[in-house]
Amino acid sequence: MEINDFWKKKIYFYFTEILDFDNDGRVSSKDVSGFKEMYKYMKKLKHDSPELDKFSKFLNVWINNILSITNKKTGGHETSITYEDFRKYCEKIRVDLIGRKTWPSALSYMSDYIDALFNILDTDNDRYISKKDFLSNSANAEDLKSREKSWSLICDKDDNKKIDKRFFNELCIEFLVSTNPKDRGNWIFGTFRY
């Protein structure tokens, strides 16, 4: 299953709209700081919270993993990630994920990242993502409409369905692997513009 334009567009959107916090076309420690502050605000954490510290550490581990792959290929010493770096990284891990519903041991560090994403979406901290949780992360009215559409695609129009961590994990893997716009995992981060 080769990548297609749809896959490239959603990876680009994820990079620009979620990871590149300061919109400079690169993901660096500045973006990690912004993401960390957002997480702190959304989860109502104190600045010295162990959960916040853990979140920050694995974000840095994740970015450093991408940078080590990039620098190994180029022989460089980059400190930030471009979209091209991120796309190549996603292409590489996609190969390891095809046909899987869990992370292989080589990508075990992704479990912490996925847990944090789950915790961001689980706004009431009940260990499930409900429709209310999912919609409460909307940035504006347009995003709210996008998320309502996403929820119906993910949950087969069942407004009472809840997403547990196992299902969320599968959706995230499907997001990284799928080239078919009809697959539910493509919509876990919103309908976006891909």
Side-chain angles (χ1 to χ4, degrees), residues 35 38-39 42-43 55 114-124 129 133 136-137:
F35 208 48
M38 179 197 66
Y39 185 71
M42 291 179 81
K43 301 310 281 181
F55 179 77
I114 299 306
D115 283 350
L117 292 176
F118 181 89
N119 289 337
I120 288 170
L121 293 173
D122 177 19
T123 56
D124 61 7
I129 300 170
D133 291 330
S136 72
N137 285 285

Side-chain angles (χ1 to χ4, degrees), residues 25-136:
R26 302 182 78 78
V27 175
S28 66
S29 58
K30 290 189 301 183
D31 298 293
V32 171
S33 295
F35 208 48
K36 180 181 167 184
E37 286 302 310
M38 179 197 66
Y39 185 71
K40 181 176 91 171
Y41 171 77
M42 291 179 81
K43 301 310 281 181
K44 298 173 179 63
L45 299 172
K46 294 185 187 245
H47 188 69
D48 59 352
S49 161
E51 183 181 346
L52 188 61
D53 187 51
K54 179 182 175 187
F55 179 77
S56 179
K57 282 180 183 172
F58 72 71
L59 273 181
N60 281 309
V61 165
W62 186 57
I63 287 175
N64 286 332
N65 277 318
I66 298 171
L67 284 171
S68 70
I69 292 167
T70 302
N71 287 328
K72 191 182 290 184
K73 286 182 180 176
T74 65
H77 302 286
E78 292 294 326
T79 58
S80 62
I81 301 163
T82 65
Y83 162 68
E84 191 68 19
D85 297 332
F86 183 67
R87 184 186 53 77
K88 288 177 183 175
Y89 168 79
C90 290
E91 284 178 12
K92 181 182 180 319
I93 65 172
R94 181 180 178 274
V95 171
D96 294 335
L97 293 172
I98 291 176
R100 299 185 69 104
K101 290 190 176 202
T102 59
W103 298 97
S105 59
L107 297 172
S108 61
Y109 62 89
M110 288 296 291
S111 294
D112 287 336
Y113 182 69
I114 299 306
D115 283 350
L117 292 176
F118 181 89
N119 289 337
I120 288 170
L121 293 173
D122 177 19
T123 56
D124 61 7
N125 298 315
D126 69 349
R127 298 181 186 199
Y128 293 93
I129 300 170
S130 65
K131 182 178 181 179
K132 181 180 176 186
D133 291 330
F134 194 73
L135 298 180
S136 72

Side-chain angles (χ1 to χ4, degrees), residues 151-163:
W151 185 263
S152 69
L153 291 167
I154 294 166
C155 295
D156 302 320
K157 299 181 181 175
D158 181 352
D159 288 347
N160 297 314
K161 187 168 186 163
K162 292 190 174 190
I163 298 172

Side-chain angles (χ1 to χ4, degrees), residues 165-178:
K165 275 193 181 183
R166 182 195 55 76
F167 185 43
F168 182 74
N169 192 53
E170 290 174 11
L171 291 169
C172 290
I173 289 172
E174 190 171 59
F175 176 84
L176 283 165
V177 171
S178 175

